[in-house]
Amino acid sequence: MSTAFDVLMERGFIEQTTHENEIKEMFEKEQVTFYIGFDPTAESLTAGHFVTVMAMAHMQQAGHRPIALIGGGTTMIGDPSGKSDMRKMMTTEQINANAENFKKQLSKLIDFSDGKAIMVNNADWLLNINYIEFLREVGVHFSVNRMLSAECYKSRYEKGLTFLEFNYMLMQSYDFLELNKKHNCVLQLGGNDQWSNILGGVELIRRKENKPAFGMTFKLLTTSEGKKMGKTEKGAVWLDPNKTSPYDFYQYWRNIEDVKVKECLSLLTFLPMEEVNRLGALEGAKINQAKEVLAYEVTKIVHGEQEAQKAETAAKSLFMGGAKSGSIPTTELDQSIFEEGIDIISLMDKANLIQSRSEARRLILQGGVSVNDNKVNDVNVTITLSDFKDDDTIMIKKGKKVYHQIKCVNQ
Ligand SMILES: N[C@@H](Cc1ccc(O)cc1)C(=O)O
């Protein structure tokens, strides 16, 4: 029997664990109550939160009990972990409104019926803390020297870390202690940027209560350039359909970089690993099949099957509609060119789509060129025979409106 730990490990979620062997053993023996915190700093959860939500869902499916903590109290402070600037201070009204949205979204993704999961808001205990009592009970267990060397604050020393934010770690640690006492919560999970905050809570419970407590962090999804995934030129990819339409949401995953497809299938869908491995091994033009499955599955989880189907149909018909209308300018090129392979810029040049190679390069880097509905991310990408569809054509899209067909002919 594979445990929740095995599942998360096999799917590539786990980045760091505090006590790996004990955690493994615990997962084998008992139902574990664990928690993940979400600070309602915006109107909606984002694609960035989605990895941790998926981990929560896998844990729940394996029979463990999630606590989703909404950080109504911690958001009053603002987590400085990994941030180069201090966040704008938010009003209580903003925080409460966002918290309501977070609750609704989480309730769609995790099963909260019959106590199978618990939702809490740390405003309920943090807002009433007595300063002196808190310092004597909690503050006494934290070493300022150690806190100053924590990885998560490194990026802040240039611009300065305020005392307000410096307290954040203690607040999050206190949450874990509170949940440990109230709900017997023994494990905190989170993105890898949360490692120091999680460690703070683990050590607080161990010192103050003399009880076991554990922490584990997950991989953060990044692009091949190391930037946070789930962001577009227009901003974050939101889970709220009013902020990012199910169609745009679908298209984001449909146009993901080739090298990220397998990782996303593994972390963001429930497909069995055999299927993830099969799809992840597809190459050349076939990788588009894998991207279609990814986009469909992620959209289904977040927006439901109907919206996923609609988005898929719309994406396909937009592309096919363009291709079939007949009015699309077409350039015929000999098959030998594609047997050898031709780089995208030279191909666009042959089709008279560009004034200069530097224009083409700029366009591609801005994400303004796609081939067969796949964004070209690399100026050196080579087009070969395998990119052609059954009717010997490929579609190049330049900017928002210019479609151009390349027909492969055998002269
Ligand atoms: N600090 C976490 C959110 C969080 C808040 C309170 C907690 O107890 C745990 C986690 C984040 O920024 O993502």
Side-chain angles (χ1 to χ4, degrees):
M1 255 291 280
S2 65
T3 67
F5 188 89
D6 301 331
V7 172
L8 294 176
M9 194 55 141
E10 191 191 11
R11 301 193 78 98
F13 278 92
I14 299 173
E15 184 100 29
Q16 301 190 72
T17 49
T18 58
H19 309 75
E20 182 163 332
N21 291 332
E22 288 168 63
I23 294 175
K24 276 187 187 160
E25 212 173 289
M26 173 174 77
F27 278 162
E28 275 163 27
K29 286 208 215 120
E30 56 200 89
Q31 189 202 44
V32 176
T33 301
F34 67 98
Y35 98 96
I36 303 182
F38 302 90
D39 272 353
T41 52
E43 284 175 312
S44 162
L45 291 170
T46 65
H49 291 114
F50 192 57
V51 177
T52 43
V53 175
M54 284 300 287
M56 195 178 238
H58 282 293
M59 291 279 292
Q60 185 173 50
Q61 282 179 8
H64 302 296
R65 185 171 67 144
I67 301 177
L69 176 145
I70 307 289
T74 32
T75 305
M76 304 281 281
I77 311 293
D79 189 354
S81 307
K83 300 257 164 3
S84 54
D85 292 279
M86 180 167 158
R87 293 168 174 279
K88 263 214 315 275
M89 268 213 231
M90 294 175 63
T91 65
T92 319
E93 289 75 40
Q94 266 177 321
I95 297 172
N96 289 345
N98 295 347
E100 280 311 306
N101 295 347
F102 273 40
K103 273 192 206 163
K104 277 190 209 132
Q105 290 178 339
L106 283 166
S107 311
K108 281 200 217 150
L109 299 163
I110 303 291
D111 181 4
F112 286 91
S113 66
D114 310 320
K116 284 196 219 97
I118 305 172
M119 182 105 66
V120 296
N121 187 333
N122 63 13
D124 291 347
W125 54 85
L126 292 182
L127 298 190
N128 297 320
I129 279 175
N130 174 301
Y131 193 55
I132 301 291
E133 247 172 55
F134 184 78
L135 290 179
R136 287 170 64 97
E137 262 188 46
V138 177
V140 69
H141 295 288
F142 284 79
S143 148
V144 170
N145 311 37
R146 276 196 62 201
M147 284 174 73
L148 286 173
S149 64
E151 192 56 41
C152 62
Y153 300 140
K154 291 253 160 75
S155 45
R156 283 306 294 280
Y157 293 143
E158 257 169 55
K159 293 191 180 162
L161 180 67
T162 61
F163 186 67
L164 171 80
E165 302 164 281
F166 194 52
N167 282 267
Y168 190 96
M169 185 191 278
L170 276 75
M171 300 288 138
Q172 184 162 337
S173 302
Y174 185 73
D175 284 347
F176 195 179
L177 177 66
E178 179 78 10
L179 296 178
N180 179 268
K181 286 188 191 159
K182 230 190 244 160
H183 298 290
N184 196 24
C185 171
V186 291
L187 171 68
Q188 183 180 171
L189 308 179
N192 200 44
D193 58 332
Q194 293 300 312
W195 179 248
S196 303
N197 289 339
I198 291 177
L199 216 53
V202 167
E203 288 179 0
L204 179 63
I205 294 171
R206 286 176 178 259
R207 290 222 185 89
K208 196 166 170 341
E209 304 293 303
N210 208 6
K211 287 203 298 195
F214 308 97
M216 189 154 85
T217 58
F218 302 130
K219 194 168 278 165
L220 298 171
L221 269 182
T222 55
T223 64
S224 56
E225 289 159 0
K227 295 211 189 92
K228 265 193 199 163
M229 207 187 267
K231 293 222 155 85
T232 67
E233 307 90 80
K234 283 186 246 146
V237 176
W238 304 99
L239 302 194
D240 180 342
N242 297 316
K243 289 175 76 72
T244 298
S245 71
Y247 176 73
D248 287 341
F249 187 80
Y250 176 97
Q251 285 292 3
Y252 178 80
W253 304 107
R254 176 65 185 79
N255 288 317
I256 212 97
E257 296 170 274
D258 291 2
V259 289
K260 290 286 158 179
V261 172
K262 184 167 172 194
E263 192 182 344
C264 287
L265 282 165
S266 178
L267 296 175
L268 307 177
T269 77
F270 291 110
L271 293 176
M273 281 311 283
E274 301 93 79
E275 184 64 0
V276 169
N277 290 329
R278 185 187 72 79
L279 290 166
L282 296 176
E283 280 176 9
K286 292 221 181 84
I287 194 129
N288 292 323
Q289 291 169 14
K291 291 186 194 179
E292 276 169 14
V293 175
L294 170 69
Y296 183 85
E297 290 296 321
V298 185
T299 310
K300 185 173 87 179
I301 298 171
V302 174
H303 297 298
E305 189 140 25
Q306 224 182 349
E307 289 298 333
Q309 252 156 29
K310 267 203 257 168
E312 186 183 66
T313 312
K316 285 189 171 159
S317 67
L318 181 76
F319 172 64
M320 298 301 278
K324 276 188 194 138
S325 73
S327 60
I328 306 257
T330 303
T331 303
E332 293 190 352
L333 293 172
D334 194 71
Q335 185 173 320
S336 60
I337 294 178
F338 301 104
E339 274 161 7
E340 253 178 53
I342 178 169
D343 69 277
I344 177 71
I345 296 183
S346 303
L347 181 61
M348 290 179 77
D349 191 30
K350 276 193 193 300
N352 273 330
L353 273 167
I354 47 170
Q355 306 289 338
S356 67
R357 297 182 72 89
S358 57
E359 180 206 344
R361 214 165 288 131
R362 200 167 344 105
L363 261 170
I364 291 170
L365 293 176
Q366 288 165 352
V369 175
S370 40
V371 172
N372 289 343
D373 221 19
N374 291 304
K375 217 169 245 157
V376 176
N377 312 308
D378 177 357
V379 292
N380 295 314
V381 85
T382 305
I383 308 297
T384 63
L385 272 186
S386 68
D387 293 307
F388 284 83
K389 311 218 147 198
D390 304 336
D391 60 354
D392 300 327
T393 63
I394 55 173
M395 178 71 77
I396 299 182
K397 188 177 168 206
K398 181 183 128 180
K400 284 209 158 63
K401 294 194 193 86
V402 179
Y403 287 88
H404 194 102
Q405 220 169 207
I406 306 286
K407 194 165 170 62
C408 175
V409 292
N410 200 349
Q411 280 154 351

